[in-house]
């Protein structure tokens, strides 16, 4: 069992090209720190690109992710 949870809040605005990689890199960095788990809160700030679609795709495989629009 993990001993700590780190919450990461990411505002997302026109980041469809970068959001998946950003979440992956942050998650790997936190996991490498030891007995920690990550909870992501991704907030779509009104993007008109495909950011929301990518956020929802991430959420399908990440129970530790909350999507807000």
């Amino acid at each position: 069992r993990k001993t700590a949870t780190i919450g990461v809040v990411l505002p997302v605005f026109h980041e469809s090209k970068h959001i998946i990689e950003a979440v992956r890199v942050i998650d790997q960095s936190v996991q490498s720190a030891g007995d920690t788990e990550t909870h992501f809160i991704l907030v779509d700030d009104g993007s008109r690109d495909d950011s929301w679609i990518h956020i929802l795709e991430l959420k399908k495989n990440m129970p530790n992710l909350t999507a807000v629009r």
Side-chain angles (χ1 to χ4, degrees):
R1 180 177 159 118
K2 305 289 185 174
T3 59
T5 299
I6 295 176
V8 178
V9 179
L10 291 174
V12 178
F13 186 74
H14 293 240
E15 291 296 331
S16 65
K17 294 180 181 178
H18 308 285
I19 190 64
I20 291 172
E21 180 68 8
V23 169
R24 186 188 66 78
V25 168
I26 293 167
D27 197 38
Q28 285 180 346
S29 295
V30 171
Q31 296 303 319
S32 70
D35 290 335
T36 57
E37 58 186 30
T38 313
H39 183 83
F40 288 93
I41 300 172
L42 302 184
V43 182
D44 183 335
D45 285 343
S47 296
R48 294 185 181 163
D49 63 359
D50 292 334
S51 294
W52 184 245
I53 292 167
H54 292 295
I55 291 170
L56 294 178
E57 285 298 315
L58 283 166
K59 184 166 177 49
K60 286 181 185 178
N61 299 313
M62 296 182 73
N64 60 327
L65 187 145
T66 301
V68 178
R69 190 173 206 189

